[in-house]
Amino acid sequence: MIARWLAYLALLVGLTVVRTAQADAGPGGRFVRTLTVYGGHLWVGTFNDGLFVADAWSTPEELENAGQVPAPFRMVNDALEVNGRLYVAANEGLFVTRDGVAFERVREVGARGVTGIAFDGRSLFATTTSALWRVHVSLGAPSSAVWWKPAGSRSLQGVVAEGGRVWLASEDRGAILFDGKRFSAFDRLAGLPTSWAVAVAGDGQGGVFEATLRDGAFHVDAAGHWKPLQGLPSPWTLTIARGEREVCVGTQEGAACYDSPSAAPATIWDAPSSRIEGLPDPRVHVLLAAAGSLLVGTEAGAAFVTRNREFTVSAQ
Amino acid sequence: MTQLPFDKSAKLSCRGPFPVARRPRLARRFFHGALISLLATASAIAVTYPVSVARAQTAPVEPSALAVALEAHSENGASLLLPLVSESVNVRIDDGHASASYRHVFQNESAARLEGNYRLQVGEGATATGFAYYDGEEKIVGEIFERDAAQQVYDALTGLRRDPGLLEQAGEGGFSFHVFPIEPGEKKRVEVTTSRFLPRRGQEIEYRLRLGRPDANVVLTVRDGRGVQGLDSPSHDLRTERGADGAWIATVLKAKTTTADELVVRYETQEAPLVLHATIHHDPGQSAFFTATLAAQPQPPGRVRSGNDVTLVLDRSGSMEGPSIESARAAAKAIVQRLLPTDRVNVIAFDDGVDALYAAPQLVTDAVRRESIEYIGRIEAGGGTDIAKALAKALSSQVHDDHPDVVLFMTDGQSAGPPAIKVATDDKGDARVFTVGIGTGVDKALLSRIASIRRGRFTFVADPRAVAVEFPKVLSQLEDPVLTEMTLRAEGGTIERLYPETLGDLFPADELRVFGRTSAAGPFKIVLEARDHGTPRTFVAQVDASAPSDEPWVARSWARARVDDLLEQVSAKGENEELKGEAVDLGLAFGLVTPYTSFLAVPESALTEEAKNAVGNMRERRKRILATRTDAAALSRLNMPPGDPILRVHAPADSKRVTAVFPFGLTQDLAYDAMSESWMTRFLVPKDVADGTYEVRTVIELADGRVNVAMVRYTIDSRAPEVDVDTRVSGDGVDVRVLCDEPALEVRVASDGNARSSLSLSGDAERRTFKGHIALAPGSHRIRVVVADAARNESERTIDVDVTPRGPEGLR
C-alpha cells in the first residue's frame, strides 16, 4: 500500500495527491460515483455497490472505516442534501432519508433510473432518462411536476438548477436550458461539437459548463455562445464541478481545474490552472471540496488532494 | 413545454396511449377528394338514416350504449348507425375462460361513401387477440404492432385515402376500429377475436353476450376440467349436445322473451367448494404457464353476519351526471336499506372537494338510516375528481374498534394515481376498501391497485344502468372473508412471476385466480396456504408439467395478468420506459391489444414504399421480441459506445447466484431486483474496447443446484454514420433526403440553428433512408443535418439553399 502511495506521489502533477483509500471492505477500491457531506458525515455512493458512510474522513484509514449503509438501491448516480434530508438518485429510483438509516422512495418521481438531482433553494429537480421532475420539498415552492422528453431528449444524464434556470445534460440533445417555460437544446444541431453531454455545472451567470462524452468540455453562455475548455488531460470527460474560484473537470485520464470566470477573464479557459493525476484510477467521476481537501472519486476508490489555498466546490 | 400537473385533464394527456385520440380527418378527406357533392350526400343520408335505424334497432339508441355498432359519418358531420345485417359469435369456454370469435356485417345503405367507427364492448378484462376486415371480397388480417408505430402507418396511409384498419383498446373491455371507405351499398365485414375470464359465484359460471341482432348465430363450446353440469340459459332457448371430445356444444335458438337483447348462459362445475384447481400450458423448451383457481360459496340465505362499519364513498364529479349518478345513488340507498342495526354507516360524497355526512360511522338506527338515504338522494353531479382526497377522508374517519371497517368506493372517473396510492399505502388502519368502477372510462388499474393494497376487491360495471346486476357482488363484500393471509408455493418445483402479486382475501361467492410460470419439468404440487377464521388450512393442486398440455389461453392469460400488473404500476407511479417496454413486449409476443399495442390490418397493395418499410420494421421488431423471449438475458442497450448499460437476466428469485462474464476481463455478480423481477448489474465498457460485436456469458445457479447459461450479444460502435444529403427546393421550403450507410436512430434538420424551423425524423433498427420537408421563408439559408446512429454517434452536414418565392401561378 505504501509503495502504491509513493507511486501516486511520483506521478503527481500540479497538485499533491497525498492520501488515497484502497481496500475491499469500505468504499476504497470501489467505483465511486458520488461524494456528499450530510449530517457531518461523508456519504460515498458507488456505481454498483450501494452507499457508504464515513463518520470522519480526514485520513485514508478513517475513510476506509466507512460502513456500507443498508439501502434499497445499489446503483447510485447522485446524492444531495436538501432541507436537512439526504436525497439519493439511484437506478432503482429517487430515495430520501431523514436520519441516514431509513430510506424511502420519493413517490413524486414515478420513474426509475434517476440520473441526477439539483436544488434551486426551493424545489428539488431530478432527471430520469426521459423526464425532468420537479419535487415539492419546501413550503411555498411550486407544486410537483414532470416534463417528459425535454427538447425531445430521451436520455437525460444530469441537472443543475440556479438563478431560476435549470440546465440538463443529455446524451442526445447536449445541454438543455429550461427557463421555466421553454426547453432549448444546445447540441450538434445548434452548432456545438456534440449532442452527448455527461454532466453540467452552472456558471453562476445564467450559463453552464458542460462535460461531453468524447469532445471535451465547454462553457455555454445564456445566449448559446460556446467556448471550449482547452488543455484537458483527455477529451473523454466524465464530470464537471464549479467552485467559487475554480471549475474542475474529471476525465478518463485525470482531472484539471480552471480559474473561475468570476475571478478572471474567459481566456483562462485556454489552459488549466492545475491538473490532478496519479489517482487510484485515472477515471474521475466526482469532485467534492470538503474539510480543506478536494475529494476525488474514481472507478477504484476516492483520493484526497490537498491544496495550499482554500477551495470549495459546489457540485450542485 | 408541456407541464403536467396531476389533475384529471393533464393525466389524460400525459398517459399518452390510454385515451383514444382522434384526428378530425373527415373534413380534410372530403374537402380533398369527395366523389359526390355535399348536397347529394346529405340528401341520400337524410333518406336512408331512418331506414337504417329501423333495421338495426327498434328505437334510437346512443351508440356508446350498444355492445356492437358501426357509426358512420358523412361529409356534413352527421352520423348514423349502419344496420348490422348479420352477426355470428363462436365462443369456446375452457375452465371458465372464454375465447370468442365475432363476425359482424354492416351495410352502407346510403348513396354516399362513408367513414365509420366500429365499436365492440366485450366486458371487463377482455383482450382482443385477433382482428380482420374485408375490403370487398379481400380479407385483410390484422397484425399486432406497437400502438404508436401502427398509428404512424395508419396516419400516413389515411392521408392517401387508403385506409388500413387499426383496432385499438377503447376503455375497459372495449375495442374500436376506424374504417374508410365504406362504399355506397357495400357490406362491411369485421372479425374480432377476444379473450377473457368469466365471473364465477361459487360453482356457477356465467357467460353474458349483448347481442346486436335478435337472430344472431351463436354457438358455445364448453369444456371444464372440473366437470360441467346444468348448462342452460335463462334468456334464450338452447340446443345442447356432447361433441366427440366430450365438450358441451350449445347452439342458441331464440330469445325466451321479445325484449331479451342479452344472452345469458350458465353452468356449474362439479367440484366441491374450496378446491384448488390448476391448468397448465407447456411449450417444448420453455417454462410452463399455469393458472390456479379456488372459489368460495355464497353465504347461505338467512345467515346473520356480524356488524360492520360501512363507509359509502360516492363520486359526484361532472362525468357522473346522468345514469351513472342515478345508478350509484340507487345502489347506495339499497345498501343502506340492507344494513343491519349492528352496522355503522357513513356517507361521503366527493368531486374535487369532499363532504361527509358524519364525522365517523354511526350506528344504523332508524334515524341514521333515514338521514343517510336522504343525504344520498341530495347528491348531485358536478366538479372534478380527487380520489386521493376522498379516500383519505374515508380512511381517516374510521373508528378503531372491534367492528370491521369497510369502505365501498364508487367512481366513474380518473384521478391522479400516485397520491391516491400513497393514501392507500400510508394509512395504518385496517379498513378494507372495495372499489366499484362505473363505465368504460374508469381507471381500472388505479382502482384495482387501491383495492389490492387495502385487501378489498375491484368490481367493474361497464353499463351504469347495470349497477343493480352487480349489486349482490358488492353486498357480499360486507361479509367476513372466507380465507385470509393466502400464500402460494410449490412442492417438487418452483413457481415464479405470479400475478397478481398480492393474493388478498377470499370472500363469499368470490374466486381466487392466479397466473404463474414454473420451471418444473415433471409432476409438482401447487400449494395454497391460508387461514379460515384464524385456523390454518392448506389446499393442494397436483399438476404434471411433463404431461402433454396445449392450453394457449393459459399463456395468454398469464401475459395479460402481467400487463395488468404493469398498468397498475403505471397508474401508481406514472409511465416510464421500463414498464411500458415490458408491456409492449408482452403485447407483441402474445398478440394482445393493450393500451400500448394495436392490431393493424392493411392490404400489401395499399402500402407506400415508406409504409412498407415501416411495417417491415415493425414485423422485424416483433420477430426479435419473440426470439428474445426465449433468452434469459438482455442488455438495456445493444448498440453502445463506452457507457453504462444495464444487464438484466430473467432467472428465479431464489437462484443461488447469477454471474456475468464480460469479454473485457470483468466478472460481476448480479443482484435480484424485485421491482423488475430480474437479476441486474451495470457495467462500463472501457473506452479502448475496439468496435465489434461481443457476448456476455451469464451463469445462473438455480436453487436446486442446476446451472443454466445464457448469452447476450452487444455491439460496440464508435464510428459515425456516413451520410449523403440531397435537397430540392419545393413549395414553401426544401425537400430533404438523407441516405445513411447504416441504420439511423434519428435525423434532424434545422435552418441556421433555428429550432423553430426544424425537422425531426425517427429511425429504427433498419431504416437508412429518410425524407422530409422543412419550411423556409424565401431567401438564402444554411441548413444543418445531424444524423445519429443506434449508438448515438453523430454525423453532420451543412448545406446552403436558396428558396425563391413562388410566382402568382405557382411557377418559379
Side-chain angles (χ1 to χ4, degrees), chain A residues 31 47-48 74 76-77 91 110 112 147-148 171 173 178 181 187-189 195 214 253 299, chain B residues 1-2 573 575 578 646 668 671 673 675 680-682 684 687 746 748 784 792-794 796:
Chain A
F31 186 151
F47 183 68
N48 208 35
R74 285 188 305 127
V76 179
N77 291 320
N91 204 58
R112 306 215 298 167
W147 295 268
W148 293 99
E171 290 185 352
R173 294 290 187 272
F178 179 47
K181 295 178 181 172
D187 59 357
R188 191 88 179 253
L189 197 63
S195 301
R214 53 191 165 196
E253 293 168 23
E299 290 189 21
Chain B
M1 180 203 75
T2 305
K573 305 167 195 166
E575 183 179 292
E578 194 176 334
I646 305 266
Q668 213 156 296
D673 178 58
M675 179 75 87
M680 289 172 56
T681 190
R682 68 173 172 176
L684 287 180
K687 73 178 171 64
E746 186 178 39
R748 293 184 294 145
R784 179 177 281 118
R792 296 212 177 98
N793 298 299
E794 286 184 332
E796 176 187 327

Side-chain angles (χ1 to χ4, degrees), chain A residues 289-301:
Chain A
S293 297
L294 177 66
L295 273 73
V296 182
T298 77
E299 290 189 21

Side-chain angles (χ1 to χ4, degrees), chain B residues 132-380:
Chain B
Y133 75 99
Y134 284 76
D135 192 7
E137 290 305 308
E138 186 187 4
K139 182 176 181 178
I140 318 295
V141 179
E143 296 175 79
I144 192 84
F145 292 127
E146 185 175 6
R147 181 172 173 154
D148 291 348
Q151 182 75 47
Q152 281 174 14
V153 171
Y154 177 85
D155 288 346
L157 293 182
T158 51
L160 300 173
R161 302 175 51 76
R162 287 185 273 188
D163 260 20
L166 183 67
L167 185 84
E168 301 174 295
Q169 187 164 335
E172 176 59 28
F175 309 95
S176 70
F177 153 53
H178 268 265
V179 56
F180 175 85
I182 310 171
E183 301 291 354
E186 181 186 356
K187 288 184 176 175
K188 184 59 74 181
R189 287 192 277 174
V190 181
E191 296 180 6
V192 178
T193 58
T194 65
S195 162
R196 70 168 166 139
F197 270 92
L198 303 179
R200 178 179 176 187
R201 282 176 57 81
Q203 289 159 299
E204 184 181 271
I205 291 176
E206 182 178 272
Y207 176 74
R208 285 178 176 265
L209 171 67
R210 289 163 67 198
L211 299 168
R213 287 185 63 89
D215 62 349
N217 178 15
V218 183
V219 178
L220 299 98
T221 304
V222 182
R223 292 188 320 146
D224 200 309
R226 300 160 291 193
V228 176
Q229 63 183 8
L231 179 64
D232 203 356
S233 169
S235 63
H236 287 70
D237 292 333
L238 302 181
R239 183 179 67 238
T240 57
E241 55 194 314
R242 294 296 290 270
D245 61 351
W248 285 93
I249 300 169
T251 305
V252 178
L253 300 176
K254 62 179 174 57
K256 289 179 175 172
T257 65
T258 52
T259 56
D261 60 355
E262 186 174 45
L263 169 69
V264 181
V265 177
R266 297 179 184 136
Y267 72 93
E268 289 191 349
T269 62
Q270 291 177 299
E271 68 180 2
L274 290 180
V275 170
L276 188 65
H277 176 75
T279 311
I280 200 159
H281 171 76
H282 196 189
D283 290 318
Q286 302 291 314
S287 63
F289 299 86
F290 71 87
T291 176
T293 59
L294 182 141
Q297 292 290 90
Q299 289 291 10
R303 180 187 172 279
V304 178
R305 60 174 172 79
S306 53
N308 288 322
D309 282 8
V310 180
T311 302
L312 294 164
V313 185
L314 269 70
D315 183 351
R316 63 177 178 197
S317 62
S319 58
M320 288 283 286
E321 194 166 7
S324 297
I325 193 75
E326 290 166 16
S327 299
R329 277 197 303 246
K333 286 179 184 176
I335 288 171
V336 174
Q337 290 283 16
R338 299 271 288 266
L339 292 179
L340 305 175
T342 51
D343 289 327
R344 297 188 193 123
V345 67
N346 195 5
V347 183
I348 293 174
F350 78 98
D351 39 38
D352 41 14
V354 182
D355 294 306
L357 175 58
Y358 303 118
Q362 301 294 308
L363 203 61
V364 182
T365 61
D366 289 346
V368 166
R369 198 187 303 271
R370 189 175 57 252
E371 268 183 359
S372 300
I373 290 172
E374 287 172 1
Y375 183 77
I376 292 166
R378 291 196 300 271
I379 294 174
E380 294 292 339

Side-chain angles (χ1 to χ4, degrees), chain B residues 420-756:
Chain B
I421 296 295
K422 180 170 168 50
V423 169
T425 306
D426 288 354
D427 181 81
K428 303 302 178 201
D430 60 356
R432 295 175 191 277
V433 178
F434 297 88
T435 52
V436 181
I438 302 168
T440 54
V442 78
D443 187 346
K444 177 191 173 188
L446 174 61
L447 296 179
S448 296
R449 198 66 157 191
I450 291 171
S452 173
I453 292 168
R454 301 302 310 182
R455 298 177 304 130
R457 281 281 188 278
F458 167 69
T459 302
F460 173 68
V461 184
D463 183 349
R465 292 165 298 192
V467 171
V469 176
E470 301 293 337
F471 189 60
K473 190 173 174 183
V474 177
L475 269 183
S476 70
Q477 294 165 348
L478 298 181
E479 301 284 354
D480 294 337
V482 177
L483 297 176
T484 57
E485 300 177 39
M486 294 191 287
T487 57
L488 206 69
R489 62 179 174 82
E491 286 181 5
T494 57
I495 56 176
E496 61 215 40
R497 312 206 75 187
L498 202 65
Y499 304 106
E501 290 179 324
T502 308
L503 300 187
D505 300 335
L506 186 71
F507 292 87
D510 195 9
E511 182 182 31
L512 168 74
R513 191 186 300 136
V514 294
F515 305 90
R517 306 288 303 268
T518 176
S519 52
F524 74 106
K525 291 177 183 172
I526 298 173
V527 181
L528 175 73
E529 290 177 321
R531 287 187 175 273
D532 181 348
H533 296 90
T535 306
R537 290 192 64 177
T538 302
F539 307 88
V540 179
Q542 179 83 45
V543 285
D544 187 351
S546 64
S549 166
D550 185 20
E551 307 285 356
W553 59 271
V554 177
R556 198 175 287 130
S557 299
W558 173 86
R560 181 71 226 191
R562 173 58 175 158
V563 169
D564 285 345
D565 180 71
L566 292 166
L567 295 178
E568 285 185 25
Q569 291 187 53
V570 167
S571 184
K573 305 167 195 166
E575 183 179 292
N576 65 54
E577 291 300 321
E578 194 176 334
L579 299 174
K580 180 183 172 185
E582 189 179 346
V584 169
D585 285 0
L586 286 166
L588 296 183
F590 289 89
L592 306 174
V593 170
T594 72
Y596 299 115
T597 49
S598 309
F599 274 106
L600 179 69
V602 53
E604 294 288 334
S605 60
L607 289 174
T608 60
E609 199 58 35
E610 199 169 342
K612 203 175 284 182
N613 287 338
V615 168
N617 292 336
M618 291 192 291
R619 285 177 180 149
E620 194 58 37
R621 180 180 177 191
R622 194 175 66 234
K623 198 169 147 189
R624 281 199 305 274
I625 287 169
L626 287 170
T628 55
R629 290 207 68 81
T630 62
D631 290 341
L635 275 170
S636 62
R637 283 189 289 167
L638 295 179
N639 288 67
M640 60 188 98
D644 59 341
I646 305 266
L647 173 67
R648 288 192 185 86
V649 175
H650 288 289
D654 62 352
S655 298
K656 285 182 183 168
R657 177 183 286 213
V658 179
T659 305
V661 182
F662 296 91
F664 42 82
L666 176 69
T667 299
Q668 213 156 296
D669 281 338
L670 283 68
Y672 188 72
D673 178 58
M675 179 75 87
S676 63
E677 297 183 338
S678 60
W679 294 73
M680 289 172 56
T681 190
R682 68 173 172 176
F683 63 98
L684 287 180
V685 181
K687 73 178 171 64
D688 52 359
V689 172
D691 282 9
T693 299
Y694 299 85
E695 282 191 333
V696 180
R697 185 166 174 264
T698 56
V699 182
I700 305 160
E701 189 180 352
L702 299 169
D704 61 7
R706 287 181 297 132
V707 173
N708 287 346
V709 176
M711 307 294 286
V712 58
R713 293 157 66 94
Y714 67 96
T715 300
I716 297 292
D717 174 16
S718 62
R719 187 184 73 87
E722 291 290 331
V723 175
D724 284 330
V725 180
D726 293 331
T727 57
R728 187 171 65 90
V729 176
S730 168
D732 61 347
V734 175
D735 289 337
V736 181
R737 190 171 73 112
V738 180
L739 299 173
C740 311
D741 71 335
E742 61 174 309
L745 190 69
E746 186 178 39
V747 172
R748 293 184 294 145
V749 185
S751 163
D752 305 321
N754 178 1
R756 280 172 294 184

Side-chain angles (χ1 to χ4, degrees), chain A residues 120-181:
Chain A
D120 70 353
R122 300 176 73 202
S123 299
L124 180 73
F125 290 89
T127 47
T128 57
T129 49
S130 56
L132 169 67
W133 306 76
R134 184 178 67 203
V135 183
H136 181 90
V137 293
S138 311
L139 288 176
S143 59
S144 297
V146 58
W147 295 268
W148 293 99
K149 289 188 278 188
S153 174
R154 293 168 181 269
S155 194
L156 301 174
Q157 296 298 308
V159 57
V160 63
E162 60 179 30
R165 291 165 178 245
V166 178
W167 283 92
L168 310 171
S170 79
E171 290 185 352
D172 50 2
R173 294 290 187 272
I176 300 169
L177 170 63
F178 179 47
D179 61 7
K181 295 178 181 172

